[in-house]
Amino acid sequence: MKFFTFLKNLKLLSVLSIVLLSLLSFRTKDQLIVVSKDGKGNFTRVQQAIDAVENGSSVRTKILIKAGTYKEKIIIPENKGAILLEGESPENTIITYDDFASKKNSDGKDIGTTNSSTIFIYSNNFSAKNISFENSSGRVGQAVAVLTSGDRITFENCRFLGNQDTLYLKGVQDSPDKSRPSRNYFKNCYIEGTTDYIFGAGTAVFENCVIYSKETASYVTAASTPQQNEFGFVFINSKIVGDAKEKSVYLGRPWRPFAKTVFIDCEINSAIKPEGWHNWSKPDAEKTTFYGEYNSKGDGANISKRVFWSHQLTKEESKKYTAKNILSGKDNWNFRK
């Protein structure tokens, strides 16, 4: 009798285990929210979908955005769980707004560069695929398309459209805690602009991207890397191109004195000035910045006239500039998943 009771309990335990495993399996799958302008999804606006994401959720929420142009200013608060924004294609799924730094608020004051952004990404574990992010205000000074300050952020097959200050990798720019990581990974993306159009304190790897200097462009990057950070902006196997005039654009200038920017195995066109880098009229910054290049090609990659305070890396030195080494961090972040 005891043996049959044991078998009965064992079967019951097995059934409960299967049910529990099924529940756990269900909980690990992405939750799905659909945004569609025609009303056939869960919401018609992207911000509505983000607001519906559970705060602090351990399950990633996938927000599928159907084709269309969504004119809205979007905020992703830092307390949101993991989010994936996925469009149908970057050409047909566009998030846009037209604020700019000198635009006046209700008190008659400039809203400023930070507040000009089309989308604010304050949360961790954010991803986006197949979307265009645009600031459509035109050439009116600083006008941000995307601002990130969270950690573990990825963009794949996305476009960043604007002019001055298109992509603001803010990170800990205004934070008293400079030790907090703010890692960003860009794969197969297109980023355009005119002045300082990739800037900020965040750490970022741009892999297989197109960096496009528009007509009248002047500076590609303006990093403000915290002093203790080993890496700032790193471009790997990317194309630095555009229709700016020949020898008219600098690869970068230091927004803050410890700016770090490196180009590895990139294609650099003739729009880039032979000297490559500018000190932003801060001679002391020449001693503290780290601007480096390795094995780039193209008319703008000739290193013979680069400023003396920039660095031409050796093959051995270049080995540490891999996406994994730069981004993995103490938590061994898998940025490719």
Side-chain angles (χ1 to χ4, degrees):
M1 181 67 69
K2 289 183 179 180
F3 176 74
F4 289 109
T5 303
F6 171 75
L7 283 179
K8 185 178 180 180
N9 290 337
L10 183 63
K11 288 180 180 178
L12 179 61
L13 180 62
S14 298
V15 170
L16 289 173
S17 297
I18 291 170
V19 171
L20 180 60
L21 286 171
S22 298
L23 289 172
L24 288 173
S25 177
F26 175 77
R27 288 293 293 165
T28 59
K29 292 181 180 179
D30 289 352
Q31 295 183 359
L32 178 64
I33 298 174
V34 178
V35 178
S36 183
K37 293 179 70 68
D38 60 11
K40 294 181 180 179
N42 302 102
F43 299 103
T44 59
R45 298 178 66 80
V46 178
Q47 187 66 57
Q48 292 173 325
I50 290 165
D51 292 344
V53 174
E54 181 182 349
N55 291 345
S57 173
S58 60
V59 179
R60 185 173 72 166
T61 301
K62 178 178 178 179
I63 300 175
L64 180 61
I65 307 174
K66 296 292 188 177
T69 298
Y70 298 81
K71 185 174 183 182
E72 50 181 308
K73 204 171 175 77
I74 295 170
I75 298 175
I76 303 177
E78 61 182 326
N79 59 350
K80 289 295 178 183
I83 292 175
L84 165 62
L85 290 188
E86 184 168 345
E88 293 190 334
S89 73
E91 294 77 21
N92 297 315
T93 305
I94 302 168
I95 297 173
T96 184
Y97 209 75
D98 55 2
D99 273 352
F100 52 95
S102 59
K103 188 175 182 177
K104 305 300 180 185
N105 61 19
S106 58
D107 296 324
K109 298 179 180 179
D110 291 355
I111 66 171
T113 300
T114 295
N115 291 326
S116 72
S117 189
T118 297
I119 180 169
F120 301 81
I121 303 166
Y122 298 123
S123 67
N124 298 332
N125 304 308
F126 172 89
S127 301
K129 293 182 179 180
N130 307 327
I131 299 174
S132 286
F133 300 96
E134 178 185 46
N135 189 306
S136 60
S137 60
R139 299 190 179 186
V140 290
Q142 297 96 329
V144 178
V146 171
L147 181 152
T148 73
S149 69
D151 188 31
R152 300 185 296 273
I153 295 171
T154 68
F155 296 91
E156 183 176 352
N157 196 34
C158 289
R159 298 193 304 168
F160 303 81
L161 310 177
N163 291 284
Q164 183 172 352
D165 291 1
T166 305
L167 177 58
Y168 187 7
L169 302 172
K170 185 178 182 181
V172 295
Q173 183 70 42
D174 299 322
S175 173
D177 179 12
K178 301 301 182 186
S179 64
R180 178 176 62 82
S182 180
R183 294 165 290 175
N184 304 262
Y185 178 61
F186 298 80
K187 180 181 179 182
N188 299 331
C189 290
Y190 169 90
I191 305 158
E192 69 174 25
T194 55
T195 303
D196 304 334
Y197 60 94
I198 302 171
F199 73 113
T203 296
V205 170
F206 302 84
E207 197 162 34
N208 301 319
C209 291
V210 174
I211 313 301
Y212 193 94
S213 295
K214 298 169 73 172
E215 187 181 1
T216 74
S218 51
Y219 303 90
V220 176
T221 68
S224 54
T225 317
Q227 181 176 358
Q228 66 270 29
N229 285 17
E230 184 176 5
F231 303 106
F233 303 157
V234 180
F235 300 82
I236 302 171
N237 291 318
S238 292
K239 295 182 178 181
I240 318 304
V241 295
D243 62 356
K245 293 180 180 179
E246 186 174 336
K247 300 178 181 178
S248 65
V249 183
Y250 291 95
L251 290 171
R253 61 176 177 172
W255 185 16
R256 294 291 184 269
F258 294 94
K260 297 179 178 70
T261 305
V262 174
F263 292 83
I264 304 289
D265 296 322
C266 289
E267 179 182 322
I268 302 176
N269 82 342
S270 62
I272 298 303
K273 286 177 171 282
E275 55 268 42
W277 308 92
H278 192 275
N279 66 8
W280 208 329
S281 301
K282 306 170 186 175
D284 287 344
E286 296 177 5
K287 304 172 186 176
T288 53
T289 59
F290 189 93
Y291 289 147
E293 299 169 73
Y294 175 75
N295 197 39
S296 289
K297 60 184 179 180
D299 293 339
N302 187 335
I303 64 174
S304 63
K305 295 184 180 179
R306 289 292 195 255
V307 293
F308 72 90
W309 42 276
S310 66
H311 301 266
Q312 299 307 317
L313 305 179
T314 65
K315 184 176 181 179
E316 190 62 30
E317 289 172 332
S318 73
K319 289 180 180 179
K320 72 176 182 178
Y321 290 96
T322 65
K324 182 177 181 180
N325 188 51
I326 295 164
L327 298 174
S328 291
K330 296 178 180 179
D331 57 357
N332 199 29
W333 175 38
N334 182 6
F335 53 89
R336 297 189 190 277
K337 68 178 181 179

